[in-house]
């Protein structure tokens, strides 16, 4: 009942008299939020408001809490996702949550169909500067794919070997939105934005030597980029970058349909 089409179908059934108001109320009573014991309140309404369902932040939650939340959410959502899940946490979760899949490089576990339908037009291109940035880049890629967006990946194309990027300019040129993930000094988004005619979302990572200050140096580089058209998310926030890219594509779709 968190999907727009399902809600419309229910309202039509009430209007047509094929379902009673009491039956409809029982389906809608937890639409705003649903408590899970005393440690969580699931925001079932978020998908209707924003287009994206609530996603579980796995870090700092116990596997038991994550399992309880996922098993409640699966009753109302086709895809249920938890981020920042370690292999050890997944091993504990797997027997507690039926049909749970693990995307180890992205540190994401999800209940999802084997084949995720692409539901939106446009393509999200995701680039990483180095191999060490892959966990954040894959978090963005898997989040976008589970949300119904087409994704193209291009890994290890940092500025230390700029020819690797220039030899793959077709990825930049074919993308509708670009997510660029980089640590160290964080120069890659500026280079990409100088080549791209689409929005660039920059993601600083906490990869780098001491003067990188756990991602602060690339964050400041990206905020101070001389290339126009760059938006910057928080350090290591691949998930947030994917949602922002998705909102850009969904907004473009709204404009086409208007």
């Amino acid at each position: 009942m968190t999907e727009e089409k399902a809600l419309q179908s229910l309202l039509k059934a009430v209007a047509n008299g094929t379902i009673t108001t009491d039956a409809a109320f029982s389906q809608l009573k937890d639409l705003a939020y649903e408590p899970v014991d005393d440690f969580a309140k699931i925001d079932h309404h978020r998908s209707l408001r924003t287009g994206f369902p609530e996603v579980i932040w796995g870090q700092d939650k116990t596997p038991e809490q994550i399992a309880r939340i996922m098993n409640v959410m699966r009753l109302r959502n086709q895809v249920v996702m938890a981020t920042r899940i370690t292999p050890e946490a997944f091993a504990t979760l797997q027997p507690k949550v039926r049909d749970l899949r693990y995307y180890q490089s992205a540190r994401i576990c999800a209940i999802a169909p084997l084949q995720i339908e692409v539901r939106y037009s446009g393509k999200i291109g995701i680039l990483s500067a180095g191999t060490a940035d892959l966990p954040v880049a894959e978090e963005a890629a898997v989040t976008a794919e589970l949300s119904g967006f087409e994704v193209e990946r291009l890994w290890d194309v940092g500025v230390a070997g700029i020819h690797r990027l220039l030899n793959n300019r077709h990825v930049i040129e074919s993308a509708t939105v670009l997510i660029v993930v980089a640590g160290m000094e964080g120069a890659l988004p500026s280079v990409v934005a100088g080549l791209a005619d689409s929005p660039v979302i920059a993601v600083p990572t906490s990869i780098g030597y001491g003067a990188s200050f756990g991602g602060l140096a690339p964050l400041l580089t990206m905020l101070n980029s001389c290339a126009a058209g760059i938006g910057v998310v928080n350090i290591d926030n691949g998930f947030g970058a994917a949602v922002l890219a998705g909102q850009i594509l969904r907004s473009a779709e709204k404009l086409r349909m208007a």
Side-chain angles (χ1 to χ4, degrees), residues 106-128:
R107 300 168 294 179
I108 286 172
C109 67
I111 304 165
L114 288 176
Q115 294 293 328
I116 302 293
E117 178 189 358
V118 175
R119 293 185 287 128
Y120 302 98
S121 58
K123 180 165 63 177
I124 301 173
I126 306 181
L127 286 66
S128 79

Side-chain angles (χ1 to χ4, degrees), residues 64-82:
E64 290 73 21
Q65 289 171 332
I66 297 168
R68 288 290 309 280
I69 294 169
M70 294 191 91
N71 282 323
V72 171
M73 289 181 68
R74 77 183 307 157
L75 301 176
R76 294 172 178 264
N77 298 275
Q78 185 182 38
V79 175
V80 180
M81 185 174 117

Side-chain angles (χ1 to χ4, degrees), residues 88-178:
E88 295 76 18
F90 175 68
T92 304
L93 281 168
Q94 194 171 22
K96 301 176 185 292
V97 182
R98 177 173 44 86
D99 299 328
L100 190 64
R101 296 162 60 191
Y102 189 45
Y103 304 83
Q104 184 165 343
S105 58
R107 300 168 294 179
I108 286 172
C109 67
I111 304 165
L114 288 176
Q115 294 293 328
I116 302 293
E117 178 189 358
V118 175
R119 293 185 287 128
Y120 302 98
S121 58
K123 180 165 63 177
I124 301 173
I126 306 181
L127 286 66
S128 79
T131 304
D133 300 310
L134 282 185
V136 176
E138 274 292 334
E139 181 180 78
V142 172
T143 297
E145 288 173 334
L146 289 173
S147 300
F149 296 95
E150 181 185 357
V151 170
E152 184 169 9
R153 295 163 168 82
L154 181 60
W155 298 159
D156 196 24
V157 289
V159 297
I162 196 68
H163 57 290
R164 298 171 299 177
L165 176 67
L166 299 178
N167 287 343
N168 289 278
R169 284 188 63 175
H170 64 278
V171 176
I172 297 173
E173 292 165 355
S174 66
T176 318
V177 183
L178 287 155

Side-chain angles (χ1 to χ4, degrees), residues 2 10 24 38 64 95 119 123 129 134 170 179 200 219 224:
T2 56
L10 177 66
D38 59 352
E64 290 73 21
R119 293 185 287 128
K123 180 165 63 177
L134 282 185
H170 64 278
I179 296 173
V200 173
L219 172 65
N224 285 286

